[in-house]
Amino acid sequence: MNVLVINAGSSSLKYQLMNPETGDVAAKGLCERIGIDGRLTHKTSDKKVEMEIAMPTHGEAIQAVMDALLSEEHGVIKSVSEIDAVGHRVLHGGMKFSESCLINDEVLATIEECTPLGPLHIPANLLGIRACQDKMPGTPNVAVFDTAFHMTMPPKAYRYAIPTKYFEEDDVRRYGFHGTSHKYVALRTAELVGKKEFKMVNCHLGNGSSMAAILNGKCQDTTMGLTPLAGVPMGTRCGDIDGGVIQFLCNKYGYSVDECLNILNKKSGVLGISGVSSDFRDLEDGAKKGDEACQLALDKFAYEVAKYVGAYAAALNGIDVLTFTAGVGENGISNRAAICEYLGYLGIKIDPERNNVRGKEALISTDDSKVQVWVVPTNEELMIARDTAELVK
Ligand code: ADP
């Protein structure tokens, strides 16, 4: 079986053609500058091509993807019928979707209703879906929501302590994101530790970061909220912040709320503190050269992640497994060490030798650690492909 996994943004579209059983990727690539001019990067196991192709809309982008997949020189299939289904990453499923869903007109309309919750992403996700329906009539499409995994949270975790009216009438609550990644890591960790019933905290630490408290594979709490701004500090997002700061900055500088939110989303986080970069490698280089602001950004990040591990250990009344995933979680050896340094009171002990690993599955805790600590590289595309295959079977 072949599933085409699509992640459509407003001006870009990532794709992978993969086997959902084995996870083998036949081809993958990226359309960029959609609506501007258009560029396609397409990779197979042995070839990489880059082409300028006019992409006024997502329709031409999908056409370019299909042409690349079918090409004589760098293609991997002979006919469109070899694509059994398309799985789409959709940012927000609101209260409407607690699992992945085969797309029909009704589902499309319901996704559209979620637009106020993801005003930048959902329209782009819909463009990707409609372009596939248009260019591949007859091929089933599946929506996989970034929020769905978190829909098992209890009300005490997802409700905000604001007047009930905003929840009941406007759906304002914690949703959480990176759900596809948290779900993949939760399932994979269950295989690695060889059991289904355990308490785990997953740290998805990348450019955007979120954490999830997971009991027996089901999400109990997560750090992001109505939007991805909440939780731990990220590359450029501030994470949790006193709402009063927004009022203060707007009053002091005459910013609109949108301008202020732009600062909190794009200019804050470790970039904001360091003044140097949102990339953790740059911060480490800076800190090594004695840049105190870079060191503070790294310290702040590790401190806040560790605080949430403590909070989630309380929420779960204990913790059996701690997992690290995504760019920083998989590669940041010193970031992991700095986080775990705070967690000795939970009986967490990592082995420096075992922790000296990047980008692969590894148990990094000592044999006598009370909590197993694992690096588990995420694979959101495989999760999307599996959900898609499951639904079209
Ligand atoms: P995104 O949220 O954009 O998907 P990723 O999960 O790909 O992000 O993570 C990207 C981040 O991973 C980069 O910003 C970089 O800071 C971090 N990263 C990559 N390699 C390393 C490394 N060797 N050490 C520390 N951080 C790393």
Side-chain angles (χ1 to χ4, degrees):
M1 193 173 186
N2 285 316
V3 174
L4 180 62
V5 176
I6 297 285
N7 183 356
S10 54
S11 68
S12 72
L13 184 151
K14 288 189 212 139
Y15 64 93
Q16 285 199 10
L17 185 69
M18 66 152 65
N19 178 322
E21 278 106 44
T22 60
D24 289 342
V25 178
K28 64 177 176 181
L30 170 67
C31 301
E32 288 170 286
R33 301 176 60 85
I34 301 170
I36 306 165
D37 37 32
R39 182 165 53 223
L40 174 85
T41 310
H42 176 80
K43 290 185 213 163
T44 62
S45 58
D46 58 347
K47 292 199 183 90
K48 178 178 174 189
V49 283
E50 282 175 313
M51 286 175 276
E52 312 280 322
I53 301 172
M55 298 175 186
T57 72
H58 287 67
E60 289 82 10
I62 288 292
Q63 188 60 53
V65 171
M66 290 169 52
D67 292 344
L69 293 172
L70 287 160
S71 147
E72 299 240 314
E73 296 91 57
H74 47 260
V76 289
I77 52 172
K78 299 257 178 301
S79 144
V80 178
S81 64
E82 288 176 55
I83 302 175
D84 298 289
V86 187
H88 297 266
R89 179 179 186 199
V90 178
L91 176 84
H92 216 307
M95 303 266 284
K96 310 269 169 38
F97 296 99
S98 53
E99 48 197 36
S100 303
C101 202
L102 196 59
I103 295 173
N104 56 27
D105 288 348
E106 200 187 324
V107 168
L108 262 187
T110 313
I111 297 175
E112 197 151 19
E113 283 169 22
C114 299
T115 305
L117 296 168
L120 297 178
H121 292 83
I122 296 206
N125 300 153
L126 287 168
L127 287 170
I129 295 170
R130 294 208 169 99
C132 288
Q133 290 180 321
D134 188 36
K135 302 287 174 192
M136 288 180 259
T139 309
N141 289 279
V142 167
V144 178
F145 301 92
D146 228 23
T147 49
F149 178 68
H150 303 301
M151 292 308 279
T152 48
M153 285 188 285
K156 65 186 174 189
Y158 73 67
R159 282 289 297 275
Y160 288 132
I162 61 174
T164 298
K165 151 188 165 63
Y166 302 116
F167 169 67
E168 287 183 347
E169 293 173 26
D170 306 306
D171 294 349
V172 174
R173 50 163 279 178
R174 180 190 302 284
Y175 289 96
F177 297 86
H178 294 139
T180 313
S181 170
H182 288 295
K183 182 177 171 186
Y184 173 83
V185 175
L187 289 169
R188 182 66 193 136
T189 303
E191 288 172 0
L192 291 168
V193 303
K195 52 184 175 184
K196 286 209 166 110
E197 306 211 329
F198 60 99
K199 298 166 179 176
M200 97 178 229
V201 175
N202 183 38
C203 308
H204 175 113
L205 310 178
N207 192 26
S209 295
S210 72
M211 296 168 59
I214 301 168
L215 176 65
N216 306 335
K218 301 254 185 300
C219 181
Q220 303 299 304
D221 206 346
T222 190
T223 54
M224 284 178 166
L226 175 76
T227 75
L229 186 59
V232 294
M234 311 178 205
T236 64
R237 294 190 195 117
C238 59
D240 294 338
I241 194 164
D242 170 2
V245 170
I246 297 170
Q247 183 193 32
F248 182 92
L249 293 178
C250 288
N251 286 344
K252 173 92 201 273
Y253 293 100
Y255 299 143
S256 65
V257 171
D258 281 2
E259 284 169 334
C260 193
L261 264 285
N262 193 49
I263 294 168
L264 299 181
N265 269 302
K266 306 240 167 92
K267 301 193 172 143
S268 300
V270 293
L271 169 66
I273 291 190
S274 68
V276 169
S277 175
S278 62
D279 193 301
F280 284 75
R281 290 162 289 197
D282 296 340
L283 300 178
E284 255 167 51
D285 290 346
K288 273 190 206 126
K289 291 184 191 125
D291 184 325
E292 287 176 13
C294 287
Q295 187 59 54
L296 178 61
L298 291 169
D299 291 348
K300 171 77 179 163
F301 179 75
Y303 175 70
E304 297 294 341
V305 173
K307 261 169 56 180
Y308 263 113
V309 177
Y312 286 169
L316 297 171
N317 194 13
I319 163 174
D320 303 310
V321 184
L322 176 67
T323 44
F324 288 100
T325 196
V328 183
E330 291 166 28
N331 300 295
I333 295 167
S334 56
N335 305 99
R336 291 192 300 254
I339 293 162
C340 291
E341 187 109 318
Y342 288 99
L343 304 173
Y345 76 99
L346 288 171
I348 289 179
K349 258 202 267 176
I350 59 168
D351 178 327
E353 289 284 303
R354 291 180 182 174
N355 185 39
N356 194 14
V357 63
R358 293 188 205 276
K360 25 178 215 250
E361 280 178 358
L363 177 72
I364 60 168
S365 47
T366 59
D367 292 337
D368 65 344
S369 175
K370 277 202 197 133
V371 175
Q372 286 193 13
V373 185
W374 284 85
V375 174
V376 182
T378 193
N379 195 339
E380 291 166 87
E381 291 77 14
L382 179 57
M383 199 68 251
I384 293 173
R386 282 189 186 154
D387 273 12
T388 302
E390 193 72 19
L391 279 165
V392 300
K393 254 178 201 161

